[in-house]
Amino acid sequence: MALQSCASQLVAGHRFSASNLALIVLLIVFSEFHVVLPEGCNSPAPSSECGCNSLNRDGNDRGDDSFHKEAVKKYSKEKNANPDDSHERRREVSTEPAPGKLNQMVLIPGGAFLMGTDEPGIPQDGEGPARRVHIQSFYMDMYEVSNLEFEKFVNATGYLTEAEKFGDSFVFEGLLSDKVKNEIKQAVAAAPWWLPVKGASWRHPYGPDSSIADSLEHPVVHVSWNDALAYCIWASKRLPTEAEWEYACRGTLENRLYPWGNKLNPKGQHYANIWQGEFPNKNTGEDGYVRSCPVTSFPSNGYGLYNMVGNAWEWTADWWNVHHTTDETHNPKGPESGTDKVKKGGSYMCHKSHCYRYRCAARSQNTPDSSASNLGFRCAADSLPSYLH
Ligand SMILES: *[C@@H]1O[C@H](CO)[C@@H](O)[C@H](O)[C@H]1NC(C)=O
Ligand SMILES: [Ca+2]
Ligand SMILES: [Ca+2]
């Protein structure tokens, strides 16, 4: 398989010390089993790869819904309403979230739309074909889940994210201090700007010497799909399906590239937090931000949703698959099982030259236990949680 050449790329040119053995193993395992080849390994096309989908832990992909079932039990209202538990379990018992500016939802009225596109920017991602999809009314978070809201969840439940349990997470090199960078001897060869950083987590998004003190209103990052689901269940919400996410992204517009239309910068204005300049060496921050921005920044789309594209990638409920039928469907939920989950919207690292994924039809994937400095989420719900009434 072509995979082998990528595997050798992955470790080529890096020195490994004994203390890095675990990581080497992780990288090798990753390189052997990762199912989606980084761009360039299998395609002569100009690179459209941000390396975002290379950031998978080798993990024991459950490929089923066991985590979902566990989390539903652990973070459910029923469970939370039961106060006579042991101390240990009480820590897991959450109070109901308080309504705040940042956990508001909007109604997305049901309807039909064209999901995907017949003019894919990145065909191998399975952006096509365009297909007619019916969506039932649902609620969507106006904003990406912020550090502030995630901290409420962690305070209430004692939840430990997977990055904290594993002890590391992937951080974009350009955002690390020199001190942290110099301690790291390896990278993902197909995407060398991604470094596995010990101590990186949602509380320390740019490495152990960083904090969220000044970015409480920024999207929480370094959260795995499993972490995202646990949060949504705690908040009496759920993750959006990919179809719901894309329907919401389009903001009532038919068959447009972006939530606001087809022009990236209408009237010279920026509508999303992406990358300007030369990726990965120079981000001019022309849109105001070289890293994440507050979840309330930039104009909202036709449904009142902010930062659907750009800022942080957003997990969806669906398993990943690149083959879609053109059959008309109702509330599709994606494949029954898989190894990776779908993420949507691109991030502050996306540039057309390298990761043209800040479009509603664009998509990418990671294993459900993966986390990175540009990957977050927002929740959906069938009905408005009572605390938001
Ligand atoms: C979480 O708990 C800490 C420590 O008690 C507190 O300082 C912080 O304000 C709490 N965060 C939120 C969002 O409530
Ligand atoms: Ca930017
Ligand atoms: Ca986003």
Side-chain angles (χ1 to χ4, degrees):
M1 289 207 298
L3 202 49
Q4 288 312 317
S5 62
C6 292
S8 52
Q9 265 182 36
L10 192 68
V11 289
H14 297 284
R15 279 187 305 110
F16 296 104
S17 69
S19 66
N20 288 323
L21 192 61
L23 187 79
I24 297 169
V25 170
L26 181 141
L27 289 174
I28 290 171
V29 169
F30 148 70
S31 64
E32 303 275 13
F33 293 109
H34 186 50
V35 291
V36 176
L37 299 180
E39 183 72 18
C41 294
N42 59 352
S43 162
S47 178
S48 55
E49 184 54 69
C50 56
C52 300
N53 59 3
S54 311
L55 307 179
N56 295 323
R57 298 187 189 282
D58 65 337
N60 299 313
D61 292 327
R62 280 164 274 223
D64 60 26
D65 292 325
S66 61
F67 182 89
H68 185 258
K69 293 199 185 96
E70 243 170 75
V72 165
K73 253 191 267 153
K74 216 159 141 183
Y75 300 101
S76 68
K77 264 217 186 90
E78 291 68 32
K79 169 78 199 218
N80 300 340
N82 184 359
D84 58 5
D85 278 322
S86 69
H87 174 74
E88 179 51 31
R89 287 174 70 196
R90 220 174 5 251
R91 254 182 82 73
E92 292 170 358
V93 170
S94 61
T95 54
E96 188 153 84
K101 179 178 111 191
L102 297 180
N103 61 9
Q104 298 300 306
M105 305 189 95
V106 291
L107 177 68
I108 310 295
F113 80 114
L114 275 185
M115 182 168 175
T117 173
D118 287 330
E119 294 165 41
I122 306 176
Q124 63 270 31
D125 281 353
E127 294 178 9
R131 55 226 184 253
R132 195 166 167 80
V133 171
H134 296 257
I135 298 288
Q136 218 161 38
S137 296
F138 67 104
Y139 288 84
M140 188 75 154
D141 280 351
M142 287 171 70
Y143 309 109
E144 294 154 333
V145 172
S146 60
N147 286 319
L148 183 79
E149 294 300 320
F150 199 79
E151 188 172 280
K152 288 185 194 170
F153 161 62
V154 169
N155 279 7
T157 61
Y159 186 86
L160 206 58
T161 59
E162 293 200 281
E164 291 166 292
K165 283 185 203 157
F166 284 110
D168 61 40
S169 189
F170 285 99
V171 183
F172 175 57
E173 175 186 40
L175 300 172
L176 289 168
S177 68
D178 287 341
K179 179 175 176 295
V180 170
K181 219 182 323 189
N182 290 338
E183 287 165 2
I184 300 170
K185 302 279 184 274
Q186 60 286 105
V188 178
W193 45 88
W194 281 113
L195 299 181
V197 177
K198 283 203 188 74
S201 72
W202 73 277
R203 293 184 192 278
H204 306 288
Y206 307 116
D209 54 356
S210 68
S211 95
I212 55 169
D214 296 330
S215 57
L216 284 173
E217 299 209 342
H218 287 226
V220 65
V221 290
H222 297 295
V223 282
S224 68
W225 184 90
N226 294 318
D227 301 331
L229 180 66
Y231 171 91
C232 291
I233 291 171
W234 171 76
S236 302
K237 300 176 180 177
R238 59 175 173 79
L239 283 169
T241 65
E242 180 183 7
E244 287 171 336
W245 193 99
E246 188 170 324
Y247 180 67
C249 181
R250 293 178 179 281
T252 73
L253 301 177
E254 275 274 316
N255 202 17
R256 300 292 204 283
L257 291 172
Y258 311 116
W260 56 89
N262 274 337
K263 280 189 77 171
L264 182 58
N265 299 127
K267 299 193 175 123
Q269 296 295 306
H270 289 280
Y271 277 72
N273 182 12
I274 56 173
W275 183 291
Q276 290 90 33
E278 204 43 45
F279 187 89
N281 299 319
K282 178 71 190 159
N283 187 346
T284 64
E286 193 188 292
D287 59 21
Y289 306 94
V290 296
R291 38 171 94 174
S292 65
C293 67
V295 297
T296 52
S297 304
F298 297 100
S300 61
N301 77 357
Y303 290 130
L305 305 172
Y306 290 78
N307 293 293
M308 288 297 286
V309 300
N311 211 23
W313 276 102
E314 300 177 24
W315 289 111
T316 73
D318 297 21
W319 290 111
W320 171 262
N321 172 17
V322 294
H323 305 289
H324 314 290
T325 111
T326 50
D327 294 350
E328 202 159 325
T329 53
H330 291 257
N331 305 301
K333 291 181 159 47
E336 290 283 306
S337 62
T339 55
D340 288 19
K341 289 288 183 177
V342 177
K343 60 179 184 180
K344 296 282 280 185
S347 80
Y348 61 85
M349 284 177 58
C350 281
H351 183 271
K352 188 164 185 178
S353 70
H354 225 79
C355 178
Y356 184 34
R357 292 193 175 86
Y358 43 91
R359 294 168 293 115
C360 293
R363 52 208 299 273
S364 188
Q365 87 281 21
N366 285 111
T367 56
D369 56 359
S370 301
S371 60
S373 54
N374 64 347
L375 177 48
F377 69 105
R378 80 180 69 207
C379 310
D382 293 333
S383 55
L384 199 61
S386 54
Y387 62 88
L388 292 178
H389 282 194

